[in-house]
Amino acid sequence: MANKGWSQLWLDYEEKQKAAGKACADQETVEVKIDGFNADCRIIKSAVKELKRALAGDAVKVTLAKNEKIAKEGYVVDKNVVSASDCRGALYGVFHLIRARLMGQEYADIAADHAPSNPLRMMNHWDNMDGSIERGYSGRSFFYVNDEIVVDERTVDYARFMASIGINGIVINNVNVKWAATDLITTRFFDKVKELSDVFEDYGIRLYLSLNFASPIELGGLPICDPLDESVINWWKDKIKEVYDHLPNLGGFLVKADSEGRPGPFTYGRTQADGANMLGDIIAPYGGIIIWRCFVYNCTQDWRDTKTDRARAGYDYFKGLDGEYHENVILQIKNGPMDFQIREPISPLLGGLTKTNQMLEVQIAQEYTGHQIDLCYLIPMFKEILGFKTYCKEGADTVADVVSGRTMGNKLAGMAAVINTGNDFNWTGNDLAAANLYGFGRLAYDTDLSAEEIAREWVRLTFNLDAELEDKLVDMLLRSREIYEKYTSPLGIGWMVTPHDHYGPSVDGYEYSRWGTYHRADHLGLGVDRTDKGTGYAQQYYSPNAEMYNDPNTCPENLLLFFHHIPYTWKLKSGQSLIQYIYDSHFEGCKEAEELAETWKEFEGKVSERSFANVSERFGRQVYNAREWRDQVNSYFYRKSGIEDEKGREIY
Ligand code: GCU
């Protein structure tokens, strides 16, 4: 529906109806019977509207039946009957039915029985009030223009997309709460935020706000924001009452404190728990929650100091406080100990905390994974993360177990993604990056889905391809993360990326900086010693993971340089030396990126002209990027090591 000014992504009903040869999109052909639900429920109303639009042209009667036995937010679909115990479940079931139809299934074959894996399934926007987006690669914000909130048809479509993949919570502003965003909790913005939250509520989505911990100073005029100070506590009490008077459906607050220059409890000698619990206690009577990020580390390190290890920081700051966080506080933990690199170990805090609500944070905004220029389908990475065995408790110890609440029986649990959207026509910059948007939601709802199942669903819903091209596109998606990894930084070392911008190579870009992100390469080898003889980070894991990582012979090779300083002549299991692996993987990765771009040419005329042009242009830039990475990384290590490529290829 190009005339709208934005794509309908995987819900492009008109396109699908056209492709299926349905002449008229007559919504009157769809009858919806409501059995047991309150027909005035706003979510049920949205479900009915959606059914009529999506199934238009089918002479069908759909029943929405209430069934108390079905799990919260779960659904059962049997042919044209959708059953659920609550309105959200009914809406998700409706979207399941719609998906099945859009993918070409007949009603007689539709059968499903699903319950969400995770109670909280959230998107985090890093949108700023001036319309810019921190780490945004898809245009400007569609929530904010010039410090004003915009609620329009696009917002409604956005909420529909999110509901269709099972998202039930959205944080609408950047965790780095700057400028006008602090005012989101003032009368200046209450009406608009309420309007936005109403749109979300229609689709079963709770609105959350990122909070400025220094609000008592910046808004209240107090001299401090010490979480144990009485005047501060009283200020928050009044403020949060005022907020809930205006925004009764607010889900709660996301807080980034004591991190990368943000204020926090440390300023006053208090703990992270002091800060989180103070807000948690005040918000509890309103049913709100505090989501407290664990991204706390020293970002003013000295590169000469080899003892301080940024990777250790999360565990060091938060593990000791396990059990002290109150019931409505949940810690949000990035998947790795560093910062969304293409390959990192799993954060030892996940499952390391056993008495604390916790949720997983991933990033589908491709900050370090190609800026939505390079193709990088991230669901295989998220599957690895969820499948990681932490050894925190026998029988229920994968990250998926921990963050779903299964391990500890906690109700506050789940997954959040830093979102990759903006106001570009296609929402995600690169048309193919929408696979991550779709995929994250589907995976958060059902962590048992495979990366391939999700990719196939998305491809089938988004395009109208024959079986052969569908397979090709699914294959391109599935290989893309590995390809990106091959031509960028090797074996878990990370970084080597252009500072600040984080796109393209700069091997020494962060090597002498304050951010704690070093590769420590010299003429003999590279990598960071994080063993018991080095920074001790490996010891933050449970046994036997700790021992496995500690020994270079048992450490998974794709993380070898994260945990160990390894000589270039070290023999990998393949028999290749480390230096030869660096050369080979970079040549391979770059060649494979070129192949992706080549394969895409076969899609000309098979996808819309706009899509074809959009993705082609991106692949052009990806190929350039991959060559830069290959040649800069290979030349760098050739110059350091003086060791020739066995295959005699061009290295500069
Ligand atoms: C990264 C990113 C920042 C962001 C931060 C965060 O460091 O570069 O832009 O603020 O993550 O997660 O808060």
Side-chain angles (χ1 to χ4, degrees):
M1 297 223 297
N3 54 349
K4 260 197 171 180
W6 58 88
S7 147
Q8 288 297 300
L9 297 173
W10 53 86
L11 297 183
D12 199 339
Y13 305 143
E14 287 184 6
E15 262 313 299
K16 285 285 170 191
Q17 284 155 0
K18 250 198 283 171
K22 289 185 196 164
C24 75
D26 183 1
Q27 302 198 4
E28 297 311 311
T29 59
V30 184
E31 197 187 322
V32 184
K33 185 175 161 222
I34 295 167
D35 178 4
F37 284 109
N38 178 355
D40 288 333
C41 159
R42 57 208 293 176
I43 301 176
I44 294 294
K45 281 188 177 162
S46 301
V48 173
K49 236 197 273 175
E50 206 65 30
L51 280 170
K52 295 204 162 201
R53 276 178 71 177
L55 305 181
D58 286 0
V60 64
K61 180 170 172 180
V62 178
T63 303
L64 301 184
K66 187 155 173 142
N67 178 348
E68 299 295 352
K69 289 199 201 102
I70 295 171
K72 195 170 171 225
E73 297 182 21
Y75 58 83
V76 172
V77 187
D78 183 12
K79 302 183 182 68
N80 53 347
V81 179
V82 176
S83 313
S85 61
D86 49 27
C87 299
R88 275 187 188 161
L91 182 63
Y92 300 149
V94 159
F95 276 115
H96 183 102
L97 178 69
I98 291 173
R99 254 196 319 270
R101 284 296 293 150
L102 296 183
M103 291 195 291
Q105 260 180 283
E106 295 301 332
Y107 287 100
D109 302 332
I110 301 175
D113 182 349
H114 292 296
S117 312
N118 293 292
L120 292 173
R121 305 176 298 278
M122 302 189 59
M123 291 294 188
N124 291 182
H125 281 264
W126 285 1
D127 295 30
N128 298 314
M129 301 284 304
D130 64 356
S132 63
I133 301 178
E134 182 157 344
R135 311 307 176 184
Y137 311 107
S138 329
R140 310 268 301 167
S141 171
F142 48 79
F143 287 143
Y144 314 104
V145 175
N146 296 333
D147 294 345
E148 296 297 341
I149 295 179
V150 179
V151 182
D152 59 15
E153 242 188 290
R154 186 163 187 154
T155 329
V156 177
D157 276 346
Y158 168 71
R160 292 173 51 236
F161 299 148
M162 292 302 101
S164 76
I165 52 174
I167 295 299
N168 64 3
I170 293 175
V171 182
I172 61 163
N173 62 310
N174 190 357
V175 283
N176 291 310
V177 187
K178 308 177 251 205
W179 311 308
T182 306
D183 289 348
L184 282 171
I185 52 168
T186 66
T187 42
R188 164 146 157 61
F189 284 111
F190 284 144
D191 289 349
K192 268 319 221 190
V193 177
K194 175 74 169 58
E195 206 183 318
L196 188 51
S197 99
D198 280 342
V199 170
F200 285 0
E201 289 288 321
D202 283 345
Y203 292 92
I205 299 163
R206 274 277 128 100
L207 184 146
Y208 294 75
L209 293 171
S210 291
L211 195 70
N212 183 350
F213 196 79
S215 298
I217 301 173
E218 289 181 28
L219 292 177
L222 298 184
I224 50 170
C225 60
D226 178 350
L228 300 190
D229 180 272
E230 227 180 277
S231 65
V232 171
I233 295 172
N234 286 331
W235 186 86
W236 276 118
K237 280 187 180 156
D238 291 345
K239 180 44 83 182
I240 286 181
K241 178 177 184 311
E242 186 194 354
V243 169
Y244 273 89
D245 281 348
H246 291 89
L247 305 170
N249 290 328
L250 186 74
F253 297 112
L254 172 69
V255 189
K256 171 173 178 172
D258 290 313
S259 170
E260 301 188 324
R262 302 304 306 157
F266 282 168
T267 317
Y268 305 97
R270 312 301 186 193
T271 67
Q272 297 296 300
D274 289 334
N277 290 339
M278 179 272 292
L279 290 168
D281 291 350
I282 296 173
I283 207 174
Y286 306 96
I289 64 170
I290 297 297
I291 306 172
W292 194 266
R293 294 178 86 224
C294 295
F295 189 52
V296 180
Y297 68 99
N298 175 4
C299 65
T300 55
Q301 236 180 278
D302 183 344
W303 58 269
R304 298 165 191 87
D305 164 16
T306 54
K307 290 282 163 291
T308 309
D309 179 6
R310 172 169 165 181
R312 291 189 56 116
Y315 193 93
D316 283 345
Y317 287 128
F318 287 90
K319 171 67 183 169
L321 302 169
D322 195 10
E324 286 181 32
Y325 295 90
H326 294 176
E327 226 179 303
N328 66 332
V329 171
I330 178 165
L331 300 189
Q332 184 166 301
I333 305 168
K334 286 191 186 192
N335 63 273
M338 299 298 270
D339 195 10
F340 302 133
Q341 302 302 290
I342 190 69
R343 174 80 60 184
E344 281 186 51
I346 312 303
S347 167
L349 261 186
L350 291 161
L353 299 167
T354 57
K355 300 189 262 317
T356 300
N357 296 323
Q358 54 201 286
M359 69 194 285
L360 171 67
E361 177 180 306
V362 296
Q363 194 189 41
I364 55 176
Q366 288 175 236
E367 175 178 355
Y368 296 96
T369 54
H371 283 203
Q372 290 146 238
I373 297 165
D374 300 29
L375 182 63
C376 193
Y377 176 58
L378 292 161
I379 308 304
M381 182 202 286
F382 302 163
K383 286 293 290 182
E384 278 172 21
I385 295 161
L386 290 166
F388 179 73
K389 204 170 155 54
T390 65
Y391 294 98
C392 66
K393 183 187 174 188
E394 227 183 295
D397 63 354
T398 64
V399 169
D401 291 327
V402 171
V403 302
S404 66
R406 283 193 294 274
T407 308
M408 293 167 254
N410 45 323
K411 289 199 191 69
L412 274 191
M415 289 168 66
V418 179
I419 201 168
N420 58 356
T421 53
N423 72 352
D424 275 1
F425 175 86
N426 64 3
W427 301 82
T428 55
N430 185 335
D431 274 23
L432 301 185
N436 288 327
L437 183 62
Y438 179 84
F440 171 77
R442 293 288 290 129
L443 186 64
Y445 189 89
D446 183 356
T447 51
D448 286 338
L449 286 172
S450 73
E452 176 170 355
E453 281 170 305
I454 292 173
R456 195 166 291 282
E457 267 185 18
W458 176 77
V459 168
R460 203 168 281 180
L461 290 170
T462 305
F463 301 104
N464 296 303
L465 300 170
D466 60 36
E468 194 192 333
L469 279 186
E470 180 181 299
D471 284 347
K472 279 198 181 164
L473 189 48
V474 169
D475 183 63
M476 286 166 72
L477 289 168
L478 289 174
R479 292 172 55 218
S480 58
R481 183 250 183 148
E482 205 184 304
I483 294 173
Y484 186 84
E485 183 179 18
K486 281 188 194 169
Y487 63 74
T488 56
S489 46
L491 303 183
I493 191 70
W495 309 96
M496 300 191 179
V497 72
T498 306
H500 314 301
D501 180 52
H502 300 165
Y503 185 79
S506 176
V507 180
D508 276 340
Y510 278 113
E511 197 54 17
Y512 306 101
S513 76
R514 63 185 176 88
W515 295 96
T517 52
Y518 313 114
H519 56 66
R520 309 261 185 229
D522 57 25
H523 69 295
L524 295 174
L526 85 150
V528 182
D529 185 352
R530 294 193 160 101
T531 67
D532 52 355
K533 297 189 184 59
T535 72
Y537 166 76
Q539 267 47 59
Q540 293 184 338
Y541 291 88
Y542 291 100
S543 179
N545 286 340
E547 295 79 9
M548 172 185 73
Y549 289 134
N550 205 55
D551 179 349
N553 295 299
T554 55
C555 180
E557 278 186 342
N558 55 23
L559 288 170
L560 191 60
L561 301 177
F562 190 94
F563 284 98
H564 301 276
H565 189 87
I566 298 287
Y568 297 117
T569 51
W570 173 276
K571 284 275 179 272
L572 296 171
K573 296 196 177 89
S574 62
Q576 271 162 312
S577 65
L578 171 62
I579 189 73
Q580 193 56 39
Y581 171 84
I582 293 176
Y583 298 150
D584 286 354
S585 58
H586 282 80
F587 279 110
E588 248 171 61
C590 184
K591 188 169 138 274
E592 288 171 16
E594 288 164 357
E595 283 164 13
L596 288 178
E598 250 335 276
T599 309
W600 180 249
K601 291 188 179 147
E602 296 173 36
F603 289 76
E604 184 160 23
K606 309 290 182 190
V607 297
S608 74
E609 261 174 56
R610 195 204 49 76
S611 255
F612 182 73
N614 166 271
V615 177
S616 302
E617 189 266 346
R618 305 269 154 166
F619 272 134
R621 282 151 75 190
Q622 176 169 1
V623 166
Y624 178 85
N625 189 39
R627 286 181 190 152
E628 281 308 309
W629 271 101
R630 176 194 67 192
D631 292 340
Q632 290 196 32
V633 171
N634 282 347
S635 301
Y636 180 94
F637 288 105
Y638 171 62
R639 291 177 192 180
K640 279 252 155 156
S641 69
I643 302 174
E644 300 285 341
D645 170 33
E646 283 169 4
K647 297 176 186 155
R649 290 162 293 195
E650 227 161 338
I651 294 179
Y652 304 88

